[in-house]
């Protein structure tokens, strides 16, 4: 029997790793695009981009692992049922308890890893990611204009481009676009000097030998102003002292807090490991195939169960935050409800078969 346990554990483990890897790659594809877009808009340093992608992986892993475990078990047992290996094992006296043993062992290991990930590592990764974004945004906004690169200030209100830079720091062939309400200003200058105040909040661009074009886009009225010297001050907006995001709060801080928002986050972190072991236990009866069914016949049902589970948990999190559901109840009602639904779905066909047999 031990050989059978190792065989089932190997099949489930390989399927889980493959499915989790594919789902993580799909999810990271969108995350990488978002990180690169944000880095391009806010002039993040190149060294920060890879770190942000790695931290994003740690943040998304707790969401991917439970569904990966569910699909991994369904696919592994689907193959075993499709090739009549489970039928042969049951004919030799292998019971449901023996089949559950390797799955339960893997589910417990995944649950323990998920608990450490959601309660400790993922909040620290979120906190580090927010700190890196703030630091990269500050360094990008406060750095000098580089030749050959478009540079935006104040959320894109001012855009500067310089074609060349002289050895003494003087910029050459400068383009500036600035919006003042409905009026759009486009300035072209032969030379310019960029100076930054001590606190980095005020950028002063002194233009030499150029022309400024002013007008409203779509209107035929515009004005051309030629100048020998013009000063363009750009003041960066003060960063609003925002509240620390709840995803980055340590679990100890959530335990000590009484705010509904923090308590909802705490129950969500606890729910993710519970989801993993619950889905693994439901996947075993869910993967049972009837004769001549395809090995992938139950995948759609597994996906439906996961969406129902995750949407109920997400709704329960919002209800805790808004006070609709009492905080002491948490998200435990979601887990119990899904287990009850799974038990009904597992025992109803057996009861119906016995009733037909007696009839």
């Amino acid at each position: 029997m031990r050989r059978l346990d190792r065989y089932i554990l190997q099949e489930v483990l390989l399927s889980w790793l493959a499915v989790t890897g594919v789902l993580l790659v799909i999810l990271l594809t969108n995350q990488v695009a978002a990180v690169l877009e944000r880095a391009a808009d806010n002039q993040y340093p190149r060294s920060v981009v890879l770190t942000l992608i790695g931290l994003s992986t740690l943040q998304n892993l707790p969401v991917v692992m439970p569904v990966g475990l569910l699909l991994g078990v369904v696919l592994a047992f689907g193959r075993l049922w499709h090739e009549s290996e489970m039928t042969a094992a049951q004919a030799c006296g292998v019971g449901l308890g023996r089949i559950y043993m390797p799955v339960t062992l893997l589910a417990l290991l995944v649950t323990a890893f998920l608990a450490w990930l959601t309660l400790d590592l993922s909040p620290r990764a979120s906190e580090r990611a927010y700190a890196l974004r703030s630091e990269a945004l500050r360094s990008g906004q406060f750095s000098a204009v580089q030749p050959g690169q478009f540079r935006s200030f104040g959320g894109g209100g001012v855009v500067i481009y310089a074609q060349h830079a002289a050895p003494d720091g003087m910029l050459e062939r400068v383009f500036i676009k600035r919006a003042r309400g409905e009026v759009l200003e486009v300035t072209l200058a032969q030379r310019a000097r960029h100076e930054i105040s001590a606190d980095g909040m005020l950028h002063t661009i002194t233009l030499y030998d150029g022309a400024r074009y002013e007008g409203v886009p779509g209107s035929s009225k515009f004005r051309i102003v030629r100048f020998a010297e013009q000063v363009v001050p750009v003041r960066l907006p003060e960063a609003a002292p925002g509240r620390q995001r709840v995803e980055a709060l340590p679990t100890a801080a959530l335990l000590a807090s009484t705010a509904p928002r923090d308590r909802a986050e705490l129950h969500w972190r606890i729910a993710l490991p519970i989801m993993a072991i619950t889905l693994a236990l439901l996947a075993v009866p869910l993967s049972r195939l009837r004769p001549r069914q395809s090995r992938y016949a139950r995948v759609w049902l597994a996906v439906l169960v996961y969406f129902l589970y995750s949407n109920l948990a997400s709704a329960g999190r919002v209800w805790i935050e808004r006070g609709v559901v009492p905080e002491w109840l948490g998200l435990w009602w979601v887990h119990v409800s899904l287990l009850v639904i799974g038990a009904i779905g597992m025992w109803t066909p057996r009861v119906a078969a016995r009733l037909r047999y007696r009839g």
Side-chain angles (χ1 to χ4, degrees):
M1 289 297 183
R2 291 183 178 179
R3 182 174 298 179
L4 178 63
D5 295 341
R6 289 196 300 268
Y7 179 67
I8 295 176
L9 180 61
Q10 178 182 355
E11 291 292 322
V12 174
L13 178 61
L14 293 178
S15 297
W16 170 63
L17 291 176
V19 173
T20 303
V22 171
L23 293 177
L24 190 61
V25 168
I26 295 174
L27 190 59
L28 280 181
T29 302
N30 296 330
Q31 293 294 325
V32 169
V35 170
L36 293 178
E37 181 181 359
R38 188 177 300 167
D41 292 339
N42 300 305
Q43 292 88 37
Y44 286 177
R46 297 178 181 177
S47 57
V48 177
V49 176
L50 291 178
T51 306
L52 287 176
I53 293 174
L55 293 174
S56 178
T57 304
L58 294 178
Q59 292 174 267
N60 293 317
L61 198 57
V63 181
V64 174
M65 291 180 65
V67 62
L69 185 59
L70 170 65
L71 293 177
V73 175
V74 170
L75 289 175
F77 276 89
R79 189 194 70 82
L80 296 177
W81 281 107
H82 180 71
E83 298 181 2
S84 302
E85 295 184 19
M86 291 303 303
T87 304
Q90 289 184 344
C92 295
V94 177
L96 188 61
R98 174 63 69 175
I99 296 174
Y100 262 110
M101 285 183 61
V103 178
T104 305
L105 176 61
L106 178 61
L108 290 175
L109 294 177
V110 173
T111 301
F113 178 72
L114 263 178
W116 170 67
L117 196 62
T118 57
L119 299 177
D120 181 49
L121 187 58
S122 185
R124 289 193 284 116
S126 299
E127 183 181 8
R128 178 60 178 162
Y130 295 142
L132 275 178
R133 291 194 191 103
S134 300
E135 182 181 351
L137 180 61
R138 180 179 179 86
S139 63
Q141 290 286 337
F142 292 172
S143 61
V145 175
Q146 299 296 326
Q149 297 180 1
F150 283 92
R151 176 72 182 281
S152 62
F153 296 94
V158 179
V159 178
I160 301 176
Y161 175 82
Q163 188 171 0
H164 301 290
D168 60 352
M170 184 72 72
L171 302 174
E172 300 177 352
R173 306 297 295 266
V174 181
F175 164 87
I176 296 181
K177 186 271 291 181
R178 182 169 60 166
R180 293 190 306 169
E182 295 183 355
V183 178
L184 182 65
E185 293 183 1
V186 176
T187 305
L188 301 176
Q190 296 298 322
R191 294 173 296 115
R193 186 175 298 277
H194 181 206
E195 297 177 349
I196 306 175
S197 62
D199 60 356
M201 300 303 296
L202 179 62
H203 293 248
T204 304
I205 299 98
T206 305
L207 305 169
Y208 303 97
D209 302 328
R212 184 175 72 249
Y213 302 86
E214 302 177 359
V216 178
S219 174
S220 59
K221 296 181 180 181
F222 62 94
R223 184 175 64 165
I224 302 176
V225 179
R226 302 189 184 276
F227 57 86
E229 180 178 340
Q230 178 184 349
V231 177
V232 179
V234 179
R235 177 166 292 278
L236 300 182
E238 295 285 346
R243 180 181 177 185
Q244 186 179 8
R245 298 201 179 188
V246 68
E247 294 86 358
L249 289 175
T251 303
L254 298 180
L255 288 170
S257 176
T258 57
R261 178 169 168 265
D262 298 339
R263 304 302 295 180
E265 174 66 20
L266 176 63
H267 284 288
W268 175 257
R269 294 183 187 180
I270 297 174
L272 288 175
I274 304 300
M275 285 178 65
I277 191 169
T278 303
L279 289 173
L281 295 178
L282 288 175
V284 175
L286 190 65
S287 61
R288 185 184 180 93
L289 299 177
R290 294 192 298 270
R292 293 181 299 277
Q293 270 192 316
S294 170
R295 57 182 296 185
Y296 305 108
R298 294 302 182 94
V299 173
W300 70 271
L301 188 57
V303 173
L304 181 62
V305 168
Y306 172 74
F307 273 108
L308 175 64
Y309 200 174
S310 61
N311 288 333
L312 280 177
S314 300
R317 179 184 181 182
V318 176
W319 291 340
I320 295 174
E321 186 174 343
R322 297 180 179 178
V324 178
V325 175
E327 191 272 330
W328 59 265
L329 184 60
L331 297 177
W332 296 105
W333 63 273
V334 180
H335 309 305
V336 173
S337 299
L338 198 72
L339 287 176
V340 170
I341 293 174
I344 293 175
M346 181 175 62
W347 291 105
T348 298
R350 298 187 179 184
V351 173
R354 290 180 180 179
L355 291 177
R356 286 197 302 270
Y357 178 75
R358 289 179 180 178

